[in-house]
Amino acid sequence: MNHQKLEIAGRTFESRLFLGTGKFGSLRDMVQSVIASETDMVTMALKRIDAQSSEENLLDSLREAHVHLLPNTSGARTAKEAVLAAQLAREALETNWVKLEIHPDPKYLLPDPIETLYATEELAKLGFVVMPYIHADPVLCKRLEDAGTAVVMPLGAPIGTNKGLRTQDFLEIIISQSKVPVVVDAGIGAPSDAAKAMEMGADAVLVNTAIAVARNPLNMAVAFKEGVIAGRRAFESGLGAIANHAEASSPLTSFLFE
Amino acid sequence: MKTFKDVFERYQWEEVKNKLEKVTLADVRSSLQKKNKTLDDFLNLLSPAASQELELMAGMTQMLTQKRFGKTIQLYAPLYLSNECQNICTYCGFSLDNQLKRKTLSDMELMIEASVLKSMGVNHVLLVSGEANKIVGVPYFQNAVRKLKPHFSNISIEVQPLMEEEYKLLHEEGVHSVLVYQETYHQDVYREYHPKGKKSNFHFRLETPDRIGRAGIHKIGLGVLLGLEDWRVDSFFNALHIDYLQKHYWKSKFSVSFPRLRPAEGIIEPNFIMEDKDLLQLICAYRIWNEDLEISISTRENEVFRNNIVSLGATAMSAGSKTNPGGYAVDKESLEQFETSDERSMDEIRLMIKKAGYDPVMKDWDSVYSGI
């Protein structure tokens, strides 16, 4: 079967699973999980990048894994901070891709839609490939498209909660009307959640906590890889519609035609 | 202006104490099963009755901490700027009545100390001083932060309580977090331990985190000095304080520290002994109540406790600490604030954390997010 490949800003991705690199107990666990997941792209926080350090670090380890690095602006509270962070990341990592995260609320790390829109406008003008982390807000997604975003990354549930697709109804609206790829980010707690997102027609998912804090991160990475493949294959194969009502075995209206 | 004082005054020390004593094991179990935990649940988990469920609480603490913070421990080290102090605090090595030579770091000494910290791998630094506003006031701190900012990703301060405008100035300079401990929420006991100096003003200190929050500081650190009064009651008030602050200053993060009284030059013995199992219970109670709270464990604690707390709720640790100005290089014998208990080096602590299956994090901030 010939799979449709994911394309973002002219780059083709074999895998529809993206990984976050935080929360792992060791660099080794993280790199092994990245490799086992067969992902093409991982995100890492600019605030964790230490260009001055000479010892083994996140960046070197990830380069060994031969994946595309997507810096993120985690820690930024305003558009201004995020734009500065993106510019620094562009220098440090030599990439114009950026995962935009602006969360003035450090408790639930919920994204600020207003600042995110401002930053997307600004970064798109500066030539960045912008991947904003947002609420599952269909109107915001359209506004971000107008602002020149490369994808939209709506959350499935509050980040780190492993609660799954709590925003399903809104994700479905976003997917149905989006002109840019939809990457479901945050809250995906189990491979079945990832599969479900893919079955719904999401273009990709991003997973971090569920893999990083699993008892066996490497095996969990494989499980997510398989979940994503299964879900996507089901979507492309045309899932049967779920009937919302009972279908009587002998039609109730057949008497009309007798 | 409404501050925490308004909330604080609605509570009576003795009432909280009685409530804690009346908690039953059934109350504790019901709190543990609740989905969204309130301050009442925190009180239940803090109670003598809850000590019977410590094993269960430890398991929940580990799971919740991993979910929110991952298997990581942020490392930092203190940099003492000065031991000048105009306060009398009967438990502190820097107390005014302690007849010892005082030291304040010069610019050059500051940079020498900083370079030692850098060579240890330190990237998150905590600046500490006594309270001597004329010698070590806001201009001194501004200068120190300006000098250190190019070399550290994250700068915190633990200095005398300041005014909102002063915190704003320091925030603009690049200060990421401010730590200020109430020491005790028992007003009479507070007066006894702080008989002289600006610090003797209980309410000015009580309202300090409000001023820090209004100034837009990223992270506010609270704590009580464990050993001055009944740790259970004091910790309830500390949690009440955090609860209030989290609702009012929703853009700030909160951390809690657990300074247990340690021996220092010329100080008194603790009034209340807090054992290791008590401290663990307290840490678990905080974590189960508040999943997002940063929990910081200093070198006041001993090796065994620190080795085990890595996977039981801690999110940050200091290491290789010296608690005297110049302690890393320029004046190793100067007056220290307290004796550390865990004297292992930063490298040894990093290795210990790795062996526990956790990632010792040296950098988790960038100055691009501070002071712009």
Side-chain angles (χ1 to χ4, degrees):
Chain A
M1 180 178 155
N2 230 345
H3 294 296
Q4 297 164 13
K5 284 186 181 152
L6 171 62
E7 197 182 304
I8 302 170
R11 182 191 291 264
T12 308
F13 292 85
E14 295 291 330
S15 165
R16 292 175 178 270
L17 171 62
F18 302 141
L19 253 60
T21 56
K23 297 189 175 182
F24 283 88
S26 69
L27 281 179
R28 206 169 146 254
D29 277 355
M30 190 270 286
V31 173
Q32 287 187 343
S33 302
V34 167
I35 293 169
S37 74
E38 293 180 19
T39 182
D40 294 327
M41 183 157 73
V42 302
T43 183
M44 62 186 301
L46 168 80
K47 65 190 168 92
R48 288 289 301 271
I49 299 171
D50 188 359
Q52 289 170 11
S53 171
S54 54
E55 45 191 303
E56 185 197 25
N57 62 41
L58 205 58
L59 208 52
D60 296 337
S61 307
L62 283 172
R63 283 191 174 127
E64 275 168 36
H66 301 292
V67 286
H68 181 53
L69 298 181
L70 174 65
N72 69 59
T73 62
S74 170
R77 303 199 290 187
T78 62
K80 194 175 160 195
E81 288 177 358
V83 170
L84 263 171
Q87 286 168 324
L88 268 184
R90 179 159 66 179
E91 268 175 53
L93 268 60
E94 294 168 349
T95 175
N96 62 341
W97 288 50
V98 64
K99 178 167 182 252
L100 187 58
E101 295 181 22
I102 305 179
H103 40 75
D105 142 45
K107 192 168 154 87
Y108 298 106
L109 302 173
L110 293 173
D112 182 326
I114 300 161
E115 295 291 320
T116 302
L117 180 61
Y118 290 154
T120 301
E121 280 169 357
E122 178 76 19
L123 288 168
K125 274 184 214 150
L126 292 168
F128 281 88
V129 175
V130 190
M131 302 181 64
Y133 165 57
I134 49 169
H135 286 274
D137 178 341
V139 175
L140 179 63
C141 287
K142 298 315 278 182
R143 293 290 302 267
L144 287 165
E145 278 179 8
D146 294 343
T149 195
V151 302
V152 287
M153 302 186 77
L155 53 81
I159 196 163
T161 59
N162 292 337
K163 284 184 177 173
L165 305 179
R166 294 294 170 99
T167 59
Q168 184 172 342
D169 290 349
F170 303 100
L171 291 173
E172 283 169 355
I173 298 171
I174 292 168
I175 291 166
S176 72
Q177 62 183 18
S178 189
K179 288 192 287 192
V180 295
V182 178
V183 182
V184 177
D185 186 5
I188 293 179
S192 54
D193 298 329
K196 176 85 192 163
M198 301 310 294
E199 287 172 8
M200 282 160 53
D203 294 279
V205 294
L206 192 146
V207 181
N208 188 354
T209 304
I211 295 174
V213 304
R215 208 165 38 246
N216 186 331
L218 189 149
N219 279 345
M220 190 59 86
V222 175
F224 270 97
K225 175 189 82 177
E226 290 168 351
V228 169
I229 291 172
R232 181 65 193 181
R233 187 167 291 190
F235 172 74
E236 288 180 13
S237 310
L239 274 176
I242 297 167
N244 287 324
H245 47 84
E247 281 180 33
S249 46
S250 39
L252 302 173
T253 54
S254 58
F255 74 95
L256 297 173
F257 311 105
E258 275 166 9
Chain B
M1 198 177 304
K2 208 171 147 22
T3 69
F4 175 63
K5 190 167 167 263
D6 304 295
V7 176
F8 177 72
E9 282 172 349
R10 295 206 295 266
Y11 289 79
Q12 298 298 320
W13 183 277
E14 287 305 318
E15 264 175 41
V16 174
K17 198 175 158 82
N18 288 337
K19 244 176 137 178
L20 275 160
E21 277 159 14
K22 285 192 188 125
V23 174
T24 65
L25 194 55
D27 296 332
V28 174
R29 288 183 177 149
S30 126
S31 281
L32 284 172
Q33 280 169 6
K34 272 174 67 180
K35 191 166 162 242
N36 295 311
K37 314 264 190 315
T38 64
L39 267 176
D40 288 334
D41 298 309
F42 178 73
L43 183 136
N44 288 345
L45 300 179
L46 195 62
S47 68
S51 61
Q52 295 173 64
E53 289 290 11
L54 190 54
E55 186 60 34
L56 180 63
M57 286 169 67
M60 287 175 74
T61 297
Q62 183 172 66
M63 187 266 293
L64 291 169
T65 310
Q66 283 187 4
K67 195 169 75 131
R68 174 66 179 82
F69 295 91
K71 293 179 189 166
T72 66
I73 297 285
Q74 176 68 50
L75 288 168
Y76 71 96
L79 199 175
Y80 277 68
L81 302 172
S82 170
N83 54 19
E84 288 280 355
C85 196
Q86 303 300 323
N87 294 315
I88 293 182
C89 307
T90 54
Y91 50 80
C92 180
F94 295 169
S95 191
L96 176 68
D97 53 352
N98 202 348
Q99 303 290 334
L100 281 163
K101 206 174 122 245
R102 303 293 168 147
K103 174 153 193 81
T104 299
L105 296 183
S106 67
D107 280 1
M108 195 200 262
E109 288 172 329
L110 177 71
M111 296 321 288
I112 294 170
E113 292 286 289
S115 70
V116 176
L117 288 178
K118 289 294 285 183
S119 71
M120 286 159 58
V122 174
N123 214 326
H124 289 213
V125 66
L126 168 66
L127 308 182
V128 189
S129 78
E131 173 155 18
N133 285 296
K134 282 191 187 135
I135 308 167
V136 193
V138 173
Y140 181 94
F141 299 131
Q142 282 177 296
N143 175 61
V145 172
R146 208 172 295 148
K147 292 244 164 11
L148 295 174
K149 199 179 168 187
H151 307 286
F152 296 93
S153 303
N154 186 297
I155 300 175
S156 305
I157 56 168
E158 185 180 340
V159 305
Q160 67 270 31
L162 302 170
M163 303 306 290
E164 181 182 335
E165 286 308 312
E166 296 174 317
Y167 285 124
K168 275 187 188 151
L169 288 176
L170 291 173
H171 181 51
E172 281 162 21
E173 213 60 73
V175 167
H176 174 263
S177 39
V178 179
L179 284 69
V180 60
Y181 306 148
Q182 188 60 31
E183 320 297 15
T184 177
Y185 288 86
H186 192 298
Q187 295 194 57
D188 297 336
V189 173
Y190 184 94
R191 248 189 303 278
E192 253 170 66
Y193 283 102
H194 310 95
K196 192 178 173 298
K198 218 177 159 189
K199 190 168 173 179
S200 60
N201 186 339
F202 178 88
H203 287 116
F204 183 71
R205 197 170 186 86
L206 191 69
E207 293 179 322
T208 303
D210 276 287
R211 298 195 297 277
I212 301 170
R214 286 198 299 267
I217 296 281
H218 280 270
K219 188 159 84 189
I220 308 176
L222 279 82
V224 289
L225 196 46
L226 301 162
L228 290 189
E229 242 299 336
D230 183 328
W231 62 268
R232 290 193 159 94
V233 186
D234 250 339
S235 297
F236 173 80
F237 279 103
N238 197 59
L240 179 71
H241 207 161
I242 291 170
D243 193 54
Y244 159 88
L245 292 166
Q246 261 184 332
K247 286 186 184 122
H248 284 76
Y249 309 105
W250 62 278
K251 287 186 181 178
S252 295
K253 272 190 208 181
F254 293 88
S255 77
V256 63
S257 304
F258 303 88
R260 268 202 285 189
L261 267 185
R262 293 275 311 152
E265 194 75 38
I267 74 144
I268 50 115
E269 284 293 305
N271 261 354
F272 291 80
I273 304 295
M274 183 187 212
E275 293 176 26
D276 284 358
K277 66 175 173 52
D278 299 330
L279 182 52
L280 180 61
Q281 186 191 340
L282 178 59
I283 290 169
C284 292
Y286 269 115
R287 171 59 69 234
I288 295 168
W289 164 62
N290 193 326
E291 295 177 15
D292 302 286
L293 201 57
E294 295 194 10
I295 288 180
S296 179
I297 306 294
S298 79
T299 54
R300 284 176 188 259
E301 299 307 327
N302 67 41
E303 295 190 11
V304 175
F305 191 84
R306 298 227 311 160
N307 292 352
N308 286 285
I309 209 69
V310 166
S311 64
L312 288 176
T315 62
M317 278 179 146
S318 51
S321 305
K322 301 292 176 201
T323 69
N324 51 331
Y328 295 104
V330 300
D331 191 357
K332 291 188 176 180
E333 300 305 314
S334 77
L335 174 62
E336 63 182 10
Q337 191 188 21
F338 61 89
E339 277 176 38
T340 57
S341 175
D342 186 346
E343 296 186 345
R344 287 174 291 179
S345 69
M346 183 61 86
D347 281 344
E348 287 170 312
I349 295 296
R350 290 170 74 173
L351 195 63
M352 177 274 284
I353 292 170
K354 281 183 184 169
K355 278 188 181 156
Y358 278 62
D359 186 18
V361 175
M362 303 310 288
K363 180 178 182 289
D364 190 26
W365 194 248
D366 200 282
S367 54
V368 70
Y369 301 127
S370 300
I372 56 169

